[in-house]
Amino acid sequence: MTNAMETGMNIGQAAKASGLPAKTIRYYEDIGLIAPKRDSNGYRSFREGEIHRLAFLNRARGLGFSIEDCRALLGLYDDASRASEDVRRLAAEHLDRIDARIAELQEMRATVAGLVDSCAGDGRPDCPILDDLATGPLSRHATRSRR
Amino acid sequence: MTNAMETGMNIGQAAKASGLPAKTIRYYEDIGLIAPKRDSNGYRSFREGEIHRLAFLNRARGLGFSIEDCRALLGLYDDASRASEDVRRLAAEHLDRIDARIAELQEMRATVAGLVDSCAGDGRPDCPILDDLATGPLSRHATRSRR
DNA sequence: CCTTGACCTTCCACTAACTGGAAGCGTCAT
DNA sequence: ATGACGCTTCCAGTTAGTGGAAGGTCAAGG
């Protein structure tokens, strides 16, 4: 049997229960993602609902959703009359961003791997990596798509 | 034959020639990556060497090297007695970081793609995405490797 | 009662790599 | 000389926290 009068966890307990560092929890309160009650001594008091929200945030952030995405997701989570379409769209857009980022990184990877391969990596100064950086194509601001 | 008295480009020309925005060039000077001379009117004056360095930076940044990596790479570039080993190691470490990041993103991608697939995305409120976020495993601070 | 140590509080500063904008000269063509 | 640019500096904001200082609170032990 648990106590009838649930007092709520303090931030250290909430951190353990949610998996988030206490600092991060305070930060999330600062930016309005959560709003725990305070005890008479000024300590934050987290109960089931808040812990849940924190775990939700931990998971969403772990999947790479931005803080603003998380804010929107929590809003939808709280809204019983939401349309799952809205949630799905948010996630699908995030998926697209992940895919774009992966593609970008894979392109970098290919180039950098080529450079590493081309370099002897010995004590001599000759280095195709530096040669390439010095004379290779201008990539970033010249060719990368604007958004 | 080019002019015997090279005057040097001003920042706008240097931006065009290097592919970097003027703002970024000023920033690179601030943090000590370049040190262009000044004309009598206070304008920066870039010549071949500086333009080259800027293009080098543009390319290295485009390959994802950090500013500090770039500083080190430029240092090696300037050092005729460098060992290509040092350059190669820098690049190889960067490659490892890229690979780690790609792996991380691919894991996110798989999970997010699964969530998107599972959601009807219609007008009804039922949403497996929110359900998963609310109850799924705590990923980030719970399981991710510390460094 | 007092102290010690582990919590908790707030607030300020710092991170990476820029980007935007304001205020104020310089330059050039009309 | 007037307007349109281009250049200068400096300040602020971006993302998502993290680190640390200064100080209040609480439970246990002496």
Side-chain angles (χ1 to χ4, degrees), chain A residues 23-24 27-28 41 43 61 67:
Chain A
K23 276 255 164 181
T24 299
Y27 172 68
Y28 286 171
N41 58 8
Y43 287 18
R61 291 287 301 126
I67 289 288

Side-chain angles (χ1 to χ4, degrees), chain A residues 30-103:
Chain A
D30 267 8
I31 63 174
L33 291 180
I34 50 166
K37 298 277 178 296
R38 299 297 182 117
D39 282 345
S40 52
N41 58 8
Y43 287 18
R44 291 169 183 81
S45 181
F46 299 84
R47 275 172 313 161
E48 208 49 35
E50 268 91 20
I51 301 295
H52 220 117
R53 274 175 102 75
L54 290 173
F56 184 108
L57 286 166
N58 189 11
R59 176 122 171 104
R61 291 287 301 126
L63 293 177
F65 285 98
S66 72
I67 289 288
E68 287 318 307
D69 282 347
C70 288
R71 196 186 298 279
L73 286 169
L74 277 178
L76 290 164
Y77 184 62
D78 290 341
D79 175 10
S81 74
R82 67 187 164 252
S84 70
E85 191 186 350
D86 294 337
V87 184
R88 210 189 107 108
R89 185 168 30 69
L90 232 74
E93 284 167 7
H94 178 47
L95 187 55
D96 285 349
R97 283 192 297 270
I98 291 176
D99 283 342
R101 184 77 182 120
I102 288 175

Side-chain angles (χ1 to χ4, degrees), chain B residues 7-70:
Chain B
T7 314
M9 297 173 172
N10 62 19
I11 202 169
Q13 294 299 313
K16 239 153 234 163
S18 69
L20 287 171
K23 274 254 163 182
T24 300
I25 296 176
R26 290 194 194 96
Y27 173 66
Y28 286 171
E29 184 183 10
D30 267 8
I31 63 174
L33 291 181
I34 51 167
K37 298 276 176 298
R38 298 299 181 115
D39 283 344
S40 52
N41 58 7
Y43 287 17
R44 290 168 184 82
S45 180
F46 299 84
R47 273 173 314 159
E48 209 47 36
E50 267 91 19
I51 301 295
H52 219 119
R53 272 174 104 75
L54 290 173
F56 184 107
L57 286 166
N58 188 12
R59 175 120 172 105
R61 290 288 301 126
L63 292 177
F65 285 98
S66 73
I67 289 288
E68 287 318 307
D69 282 348
C70 289

Side-chain angles (χ1 to χ4, degrees), chain B:
Chain B
M1 291 72 188
T2 55
N3 338 16
M5 291 280 288
E6 261 298 320
T7 314
M9 297 173 172
N10 62 19
I11 202 169
Q13 294 299 313
K16 239 153 234 163
S18 69
L20 287 171
K23 274 254 163 182
T24 300
I25 296 176
R26 290 194 194 96
Y27 173 66
Y28 286 171
E29 184 183 10
D30 267 8
I31 63 174
L33 291 181
I34 51 167
K37 298 276 176 298
R38 298 299 181 115
D39 283 344
S40 52
N41 58 7
Y43 287 17
R44 290 168 184 82
S45 180
F46 299 84
R47 273 173 314 159
E48 209 47 36
E50 267 91 19
I51 301 295
H52 219 119
R53 272 174 104 75
L54 290 173
F56 184 107
L57 286 166
N58 188 12
R59 175 120 172 105
R61 290 288 301 126
L63 292 177
F65 285 98
S66 73
I67 289 288
E68 287 318 307
D69 282 348
C70 289
R71 196 187 298 280
L73 286 169
L74 278 178
L76 290 164
Y77 184 63
D78 290 342
D79 176 9
S81 74
R82 69 188 162 252
S84 69
E85 191 186 350
D86 293 338
V87 183
R88 210 189 107 107
R89 186 170 28 70
L90 233 75
E93 283 167 8
H94 179 47
L95 186 55
D96 285 350
R97 284 192 296 270
I98 291 176
D99 283 341
R101 184 78 183 121
I102 289 176
E104 202 177 9
L105 282 169
Q106 277 171 342
E107 219 175 294
M108 287 181 191
R109 200 223 108 89
T111 304
V112 175
L115 291 178
V116 169
D117 269 7
S118 74
C119 178
D122 55 17
R124 287 169 302 162
D126 317 84
C127 181
I129 298 177
L130 294 177
D131 293 350
D132 182 281
L133 287 173
T135 63
L138 302 176
S139 50
R140 289 201 324 144
H141 295 276
T143 69
R144 211 159 87 190
S145 65
R146 308 245 159 250
R147 49 180 174 103

